[in-house]
Every structure is written in structure tokens, then in C-alpha cells.
Amino acid sequence: MRLSTGLLITGFSLAMMLVFACFQSVPGYMDAEYYLSNAIQLVDNEKLTEPFLWNYLDNPAGLPHPAFSYWMPLPSIMSAAGMLLFGSEKFFAARFFAILAASILPLLVIRLSIKTGADPSVAWIAGILAIFSGYYSIFITLTDSFPFLMVLGCSFLLIIFNEDIFETPGLKRDLGYLLSGILLGLMHLSRADGLLWLMGGTGILIWRFWRDYHRALSSKKVKRIFQYFGYLLIMLVGYGVVTYWWYGRNLSEWGTLLPPGGSLTIWLTSYNQTFSYPADSLNSATWLASGWKEIIAVRLNAIVQNLKTFFGVQMQIFLLPFILIGAWKQRKEPQIIFGFIMWLAIFGVMSIVFPFAGARGGFFHSGAALQPLFWSVFPVGLTSLIQWGVKKRRWHPKTSRNVFSFGFICIAAMMTVVLFFGRVISPSEQNSWNSSNAQYRKVDKMLEKLDVPNDAIIMVNDPPGFYLATGRKSIVIPNGDVENLLSVAKKFNAKYVVLESNHPDGLDGLYKSPEQISCMQLIQTTGNVHIFRVPVE
């Protein structure tokens, strides 16, 4: 690929990412709000603590609470780096490195496509697909893990399967494994399931060990195979270079290498139990008590939902046949085999082990690391179609390539615009991207009029979003009834409750008849939000 072509595509990508970013003045959903909130904490306080609780999975003692007990820290670190670079806590500064990562992604995807077997004359289409990425375009420039996972996943595949690096022993190979380990460490810091990629990287070493074992036997050079123990150590050193502080911090806070909360979600029998208090109600006994019929049904539903994500999001529907054809044509390529195994592993974990989190966005998030490989295979499948048409239908090769390339780019662009408009640029004020943030700002004004102290702890549905909009401390409304709500309020010294239309089923009576629940004092109603004062005992 020519330098001018690469610069042109990167420039176009940057322009499009800026266009996407212009329509999103706030994070818009809790994950991105969480990362942005903690980035602000890093910049202001230089501490890994947060002034809110969005779950009770790690049995928190109160506020401030150790940050990243469930999600991983890299998106917040990158957001904080952007703020420090610009000397500003504005949303654009926080997104700077996400926008930059999304802008260089198409160039990496093109390189991966050529490496996977695509003709350079059509490989650029893979880069355009990374720009008009359908549903991913909504999230790729926000304070979330998507752009970093895509860049890191693509970079790892480009390096670990680079024959020029790994087929010749020496310093070059050692550095290749070191860099691979660093990328794996960064992927783990992006998402907890990055551990699967570390296992995958180890699997590549085992595969090469086994391959070279047979070669060594035939050439009577068995000593060479023991080099792979050194390569594994080098990869683990690279991984440890970027993650050692994370494990050390976890040991300091909780006495365990990994935060204790995330593993409890294995025992969920409903998604809302993620917000249960106390969290020790989530255990194998309660999970088994739900019955095998329900356990299996939940996982079958997750499989169905994640398959829908695969077809509708990862494949954008129209890409599917070409990606399958391209993958089959290049099925002997190690990166294709590895990608298929990793997809199965991620799909399995997010469908069987964590079905609720997986079906509600976990698989969508985790699958982002493999999305560059899907895009890179598309030109191979497209070329196969054109070759078939030339042979069977007497198509003109160049004309067919131009027509199909332009057509599929138009389809990808139109799908991206439609999806982005429907989710972000909504004509409905209630369903707009800014609606939650705007509502919390209105609530904040009400709290000010009610003389609610700024340091009072408020119980809300979305604590990270509430903190961003108001700067107030908050904890999540627990899954349960009014009695459970009051118990949590007492435990964490919460004085007020902001109850929205999106609330636990156990509080439906309180929401519908707020004045008829004697143990709760309604002090204000604004729109579809009730504000209660927690009674003092």
C-alpha cells in the first residue's frame, strides 16, 4: 500500500471520527460514564478511588470506594492522559486518545487484511469498513474500551503471526514476544476477559513448540525446543511490565490478585441481581436452587442473543457471506485458526459462564478485539466472488471490483448513518443521547432548591452518570424492596433517594404510589422522577 493511500485513509478516518464525536457531548451510558468519572478522579485526586457505588459485589465499606473492582482501568487511564495533555477536563480531552486510536485503526486493518491474503488493490475496503463500522461507530470515540481493544487486538495479530519476526531466532524474536506480552497486558487492563487473550498467546507458543518438536526430532536438534520456555518467560515479562501494579494494588485492597466482585456474577439467576445487597446472597446454593431448567434456559437465551450480536453487529448482516468465504479460503492461515478459536472462547464464556452480562453487552464489548480480523477477511471473500463471476459470468475484473467495492462501501456507510442517527441524533428528547444527563441536571437543581447538602449521599439508578451530571456522591438503588432499600441507606448513610421509571421490580409500588408508602417521605416529583428523604431513626 502506498504511503499516500495510507495517509488519505487515516485522514478520512480522523475526519469521520471527529464527526461522530461532535454529536456526542456526554458519554451517554453507564460504562462510558464510569470510565470518565474515574478519569476525573485520577486527574483531580491522583487516586484509584470513586465517590460512588454502582454495585455491592465486593462488599464495600462505604465512600470513597476503591475504583475498578469490576471493570478494568485502561480506558480511564487513557482518558486521564488526554485531560492532562490538554490541561482540561472537557469531554473532548478525555476522548482524545480514543479518537486517535479509532483513526489509526483502518490502517492497521488494511495491513492485517493484506497479511491475511487480500489483494492490495481491494484490501483498502477493510479499512473503510473500520470507519463505517455500523453499530460500533456509536461507541468507538467514547470513553470506553472499544477503540483500544480493536487497536490492541489487531496489533497483536499483526505481530504474533509475523514470520519475519518469529522464524529467525535472536534478539528480533525475543523483542517480538516481549511486545506481544505487553499488548496482552494492555488488553487485560482494557477488559477482564483479556485473560483469555493471555491464554491464547500461551496457546500460540504451545502450538509452535509442538510444531518445532517434530522438526527438531527429524533434524536431531531437540535442544532448540527448550527455547520456548524462555519465549514464554519473555512474553510473561512483557505482560507483567504493564500489569504488575494492577495485581499489587488488588492485593493491597482486597488481598487477592483479582477483585472479588466480578466472580460472583457467575451465580446470577437474573441480571438485576448484579445490584443485590448483600452480595453474599449470590452463591452456588442459590444458583442451583433456581433449577436446572432455568439455568439451561438462561444460557440458551444468551446464546441466541449473542448470535444476534454476531450477525447484526459483528457481521453487519451483509458482510457475513463474504467473511465466511474469505475465512474458509484462508482457513489454513494461523491467524484465521487462532481468531476462530478465540471467538469460540469469548462466545462460550459470555454465553455459558456469564450469560447475563454477555447478553447485555459483554459479548459485544469483548468481541471488539476480533472485529479487525473480520473486516480484514472481507476483501478475500469479495475477491473470490469477483473471480467466480469472471470465470462463470464473464464479468470484467476491474469493472466488477469497482462496482462491488463502491456498492458495499455505500451499504456500510448508510447502515452506519442510520444506526448512529437512531441511537444518538434522535428527534425524541426523551430518548436522546443526552436525556439521562439532562434529567440528572434537573434533579440536581431540585436538590439545590431543597437545600440538600452537596456532600449528602444520594441513592440513584446510575451513580456514575449522576456523579458526572451533579458532582454529588451516590450509591446504586439495590435490587429488592423498600425494606432492603432502607437497610442499604442506613448502612451507607444515604439521606435521599432519586427513584426513576427504571427501577427494581420490588420498588414498583413505591414508584406508582409514592405518597402511600408511610416509611418513605416524598419531598418532590419532577417529570417521571420522585425524590424521597430517608427517614431518620
Side-chain angles (χ1 to χ4, degrees), residues 64-93:
H65 173 255
F68 311 112
S69 62
Y70 185 88
W71 284 318
M72 300 299 284
L74 186 66
S76 288
I77 293 172
M78 298 306 294
S79 296
M83 293 178 183
L84 291 173
L85 178 66
F86 284 89
S88 168
E89 293 185 1
K90 290 185 177 181
F91 191 37
F92 175 80

Coordinates of all heavy atoms in Angstrom, one line a residue, residues 64-93:
P64 N -15.2 7.1 50.2 CA -14.9 6.7 48.8 C -14.6 5.2 48.7 O -14.1 4.6 49.7 CB -13.7 7.6 48.4 CG -13.0 7.8 49.7 CD -14.1 8.0 50.7
H65 N -14.7 4.7 47.5 CA -14.6 3.2 47.3 C -13.5 2.9 46.4 O -13.3 3.7 45.4 CB -16.0 2.7 46.7 CG -15.9 1.3 46.3 ND1 -15.9 0.9 45.0 CD2 -16.0 0.1 47.0 CE1 -15.9 -0.4 44.9 NE2 -15.9 -0.9 46.1
P66 N -12.7 1.9 46.6 CA -11.7 1.5 45.6 C -12.2 1.4 44.2 O -13.2 0.7 44.0 CB -11.1 0.2 46.1 CG -11.5 0.2 47.6 CD -12.8 0.9 47.7
A67 N -11.6 2.1 43.2 CA -12.1 2.0 41.9 C -11.8 0.7 41.2 O -10.9 0.0 41.6 CB -11.6 3.2 41.1
F68 N -12.5 0.4 40.1 CA -12.2 -0.7 39.2 C -12.3 -2.0 39.9 O -11.4 -2.9 39.7 CB -10.8 -0.5 38.5 CG -10.7 0.9 37.9 CD1 -9.8 1.8 38.4 CD2 -11.4 1.2 36.8 CE1 -9.6 3.0 37.9 CE2 -11.3 2.5 36.3 CZ -10.4 3.4 36.8
S69 N -13.3 -2.2 40.8 CA -13.5 -3.5 41.4 C -14.2 -4.5 40.5 O -14.3 -5.6 40.8 CB -14.2 -3.3 42.7 OG -15.5 -2.8 42.5
Y70 N -14.7 -4.0 39.4 CA -15.5 -4.8 38.4 C -14.9 -4.6 37.0 O -14.5 -5.5 36.3 CB -16.9 -4.4 38.5 CG -17.8 -5.3 37.6 CD1 -18.3 -6.5 38.1 CD2 -18.2 -4.9 36.3 CE1 -19.2 -7.3 37.3 CE2 -19.0 -5.7 35.5 CZ -19.5 -6.9 36.0 OH -20.3 -7.7 35.2
W71 N -14.9 -3.3 36.6 CA -14.3 -3.0 35.2 C -12.8 -2.7 35.4 O -12.3 -2.5 36.5 CB -15.0 -1.8 34.6 CG -16.4 -2.2 34.1 CD1 -16.7 -3.3 33.4 CD2 -17.6 -1.5 34.2 NE1 -18.0 -3.3 33.0 CE2 -18.6 -2.2 33.6 CE3 -17.9 -0.3 34.9 CZ2 -19.9 -1.8 33.5 CZ3 -19.2 0.2 34.8 CH2 -20.2 -0.6 34.1
M72 N -12.1 -2.7 34.2 CA -10.7 -2.6 34.2 C -10.3 -1.1 34.0 O -11.1 -0.3 33.5 CB -10.1 -3.5 33.1 CG -10.3 -5.0 33.4 SD -9.7 -5.6 35.0 CE -7.9 -5.7 34.6
P73 N -9.0 -0.7 34.3 CA -8.7 0.7 34.4 C -8.2 1.4 33.1 O -8.2 2.6 33.1 CB -7.6 0.7 35.4 CG -6.9 -0.6 35.3 CD -8.0 -1.6 34.9
L74 N -7.8 0.7 32.1 CA -7.1 1.3 31.0 C -7.9 2.4 30.3 O -7.4 3.5 30.0 CB -6.7 0.3 29.9 CG -5.9 0.9 28.8 CD1 -4.5 1.3 29.3 CD2 -5.7 -0.2 27.6
P75 N -9.2 2.3 30.0 CA -10.0 3.4 29.4 C -9.9 4.7 30.3 O -9.8 5.8 29.7 CB -11.4 2.8 29.3 CG -11.2 1.4 29.2 CD -10.1 1.0 30.1
S76 N -10.0 4.5 31.6 CA -9.9 5.7 32.5 C -8.5 6.3 32.4 O -8.4 7.5 32.4 CB -10.3 5.3 33.9 OG -11.7 5.1 34.0
I77 N -7.5 5.4 32.4 CA -6.1 5.9 32.3 C -5.9 6.7 31.0 O -5.3 7.8 31.1 CB -5.1 4.8 32.4 CG1 -5.2 4.1 33.8 CG2 -3.7 5.2 32.2 CD1 -4.4 2.9 34.0
M78 N -6.4 6.2 29.9 CA -6.2 6.9 28.7 C -7.0 8.2 28.6 O -6.6 9.2 28.1 CB -6.7 6.0 27.5 CG -5.9 4.7 27.4 SD -4.1 5.0 27.2 CE -4.0 5.9 25.7
S79 N -8.2 8.2 29.3 CA -9.0 9.5 29.3 C -8.3 10.5 30.2 O -8.3 11.7 29.9 CB -10.4 9.1 29.9 OG -11.1 8.3 29.0
A80 N -7.7 10.0 31.3 CA -7.0 10.9 32.2 C -5.8 11.5 31.5 O -5.4 12.7 31.6 CB -6.6 10.2 33.5
A81 N -5.1 10.7 30.7 CA -3.9 11.1 29.9 C -4.3 12.2 29.0 O -3.6 13.2 28.8 CB -3.3 10.0 29.2
G82 N -5.5 12.1 28.3 CA -6.0 13.1 27.4 C -6.3 14.4 28.2 O -5.9 15.5 27.7
M83 N -6.9 14.3 29.3 CA -7.1 15.5 30.1 C -5.9 16.2 30.5 O -5.8 17.5 30.5 CB -7.9 15.1 31.4 CG -9.3 14.6 31.1 SD -10.1 14.1 32.7 CE -11.7 13.5 32.0
L84 N -4.9 15.4 31.0 CA -3.6 16.0 31.4 C -2.9 16.7 30.2 O -2.2 17.7 30.3 CB -2.7 15.0 32.0 CG -3.2 14.4 33.3 CD1 -2.3 13.2 33.8 CD2 -3.1 15.5 34.4
L85 N -3.0 16.0 29.0 CA -2.3 16.6 27.8 C -2.9 17.9 27.4 O -2.2 18.9 27.1 CB -2.5 15.6 26.6 CG -2.0 16.0 25.3 CD1 -0.4 16.1 25.4 CD2 -2.4 15.0 24.2
F86 N -4.2 18.1 27.5 CA -4.9 19.3 27.1 C -5.1 20.3 28.3 O -5.5 21.4 28.1 CB -6.3 19.0 26.5 CG -6.2 18.5 25.1 CD1 -6.1 17.2 24.9 CD2 -6.2 19.4 24.0 CE1 -6.0 16.7 23.6 CE2 -6.2 18.9 22.7 CZ -6.1 17.5 22.5
G87 N -4.7 19.8 29.5 CA -4.9 20.7 30.7 C -6.4 21.0 30.9 O -6.7 22.1 31.3
S88 N -7.3 20.1 30.6 CA -8.7 20.3 30.6 C -9.5 19.0 31.0 O -9.0 17.9 30.6 CB -9.2 20.9 29.3 OG -10.6 20.9 29.2
E89 N -10.6 19.2 31.7 CA -11.4 18.0 32.0 C -12.7 18.0 31.1 O -13.6 17.3 31.3 CB -11.9 18.1 33.4 CG -10.7 17.8 34.4 CD -11.1 17.8 35.8 OE1 -12.4 17.8 36.1 OE2 -10.3 17.6 36.7
K90 N -12.6 18.7 29.9 CA -13.7 18.6 29.0 C -13.8 17.2 28.3 O -12.8 16.5 28.2 CB -13.5 19.7 27.9 CG -13.7 21.1 28.5 CD -13.7 22.2 27.4 CE -14.0 23.6 28.0 NZ -13.9 24.6 26.9
F91 N -15.0 16.9 27.8 CA -15.2 15.6 27.3 C -14.3 15.3 26.1 O -13.8 14.2 25.9 CB -16.7 15.5 26.9 CG -17.1 14.1 26.6 CD1 -16.7 13.0 27.3 CD2 -18.1 13.9 25.6 CE1 -17.1 11.7 27.0 CE2 -18.5 12.6 25.3 CZ -18.0 11.5 26.0
F92 N -14.0 16.3 25.3 CA -13.2 16.0 24.1 C -11.8 15.6 24.5 O -11.2 14.7 23.9 CB -13.1 17.3 23.2 CG -12.2 17.1 22.0 CD1 -12.5 16.4 20.9 CD2 -10.9 17.6 22.1 CE1 -11.6 16.2 19.9 CE2 -10.0 17.4 21.1 CZ -10.4 16.7 19.9
A93 N -11.3 16.3 25.5 CA -9.9 16.0 26.0 C -9.9 14.5 26.5 O -8.9 13.8 26.3 CB -9.5 16.9 27.1

